[in-house]
Amino acid sequence: MKWEEIGDQPCSVARTLSILGDRWTMLILRNAFMGVRRFDDFQRSLGLTRHVLSERLKRLVEHDILVKVPYVERQERFEYKLTEKGLDLYPIILSMTQWADKWMDMGLGKPIEFTHKTCGNKMIPKMVCSECNEPIKAKEVRASAGPGYFAYIEQKQKSA
């Protein structure tokens, strides 16, 4: 399978990777969540080429994850803001952070701590079951095909 076709699979992980599946895109998103908005600020903080940054920002805008908004009318200057769809990616960033804090801290501790503004406490992200509120553990979850999988198979058979 070619990389360009990965998003065509009946798999939510593959579909997500078809948009977010490279290191620069995830770092751009991390910075957007930390308040970076302008092209030059992204480039300065990440150190990537203008071409690569432009390409990744364009993809995020095309997929409605970021929206390009003018901040100086005359000079055609823009900033990039997270959309609702983009904001919904925050749990992914938190999960990646938590994993790296556990397994890759080099014995130095967490490089960033998160404070929940509502209660004022430092927090550790936790994924819980929507039904019983218990923490989710990989060995306690069973995956099975959902309606989208069967609809995908049916659609492929009709187009073949």
Side-chain angles (χ1 to χ4, degrees):
M1 174 176 297
K2 296 179 183 175
W3 179 249
E4 300 83 36
E5 299 169 350
I6 200 152
D8 295 334
Q9 294 183 56
C11 171
S12 300
V13 173
R15 290 175 180 169
T16 302
L17 285 174
S18 74
I19 300 168
L20 307 179
D22 72 85
R23 62 183 174 224
W24 293 122
T25 300
M26 292 306 295
L27 291 173
I28 289 166
L29 286 171
R30 177 206 60 191
N31 284 14
F33 280 112
M34 294 179 75
V36 176
R37 301 278 179 267
R38 297 180 179 173
F39 188 95
D40 290 339
D41 294 334
F42 279 114
Q43 187 181 26
R44 187 174 21 267
S45 65
L46 295 172
L48 72 165
T49 67
R50 294 181 72 78
H51 171 76
V52 170
L53 177 58
S54 179
E55 184 179 289
R56 297 315 188 275
L57 288 170
K58 182 180 176 186
R59 168 181 260 149
L60 291 169
V61 169
E62 286 172 355
H63 288 278
D64 300 317
I65 292 168
L66 296 175
V67 63
K68 192 174 174 180
V69 180
Y71 69 89
V72 177
E73 295 287 329
R74 287 188 201 157
Q75 294 181 10
E76 297 284 325
R77 297 271 184 172
F78 297 91
E79 59 184 15
Y80 297 86
K81 294 184 177 181
L82 289 157
T83 63
E84 185 178 346
K85 185 177 180 180
L87 289 168
D88 278 350
L89 292 168
Y90 197 57
I92 294 172
I93 297 291
L94 287 178
S95 292
M96 290 174 70
T97 301
Q98 184 180 10
W99 182 86
D101 288 349
K102 181 175 180 178
W103 297 104
M104 300 181 75
D105 75 347
M106 300 183 295
L108 302 173
K110 299 175 186 179
I112 295 178
E113 292 183 316
F114 296 93
T115 301
H116 188 226
K117 290 180 183 179
T118 304
C119 69
N121 292 307
K122 288 189 176 153
M123 57 160 240
I124 297 171
K126 181 167 94 172
M127 187 177 293
V128 298
C129 174
S130 62
E131 304 306 310
C132 69
N133 214 31
E134 287 294 313
I136 297 193
K137 298 175 184 164
K139 291 182 179 181
E140 296 173 357
V141 175
R142 181 181 69 244
S144 57
Y149 177 80
F150 297 110
Y152 174 86
I153 298 299
E154 187 177 316
Q155 183 182 49
K156 282 293 192 186
Q157 289 172 345
K158 287 180 182 176
S159 65

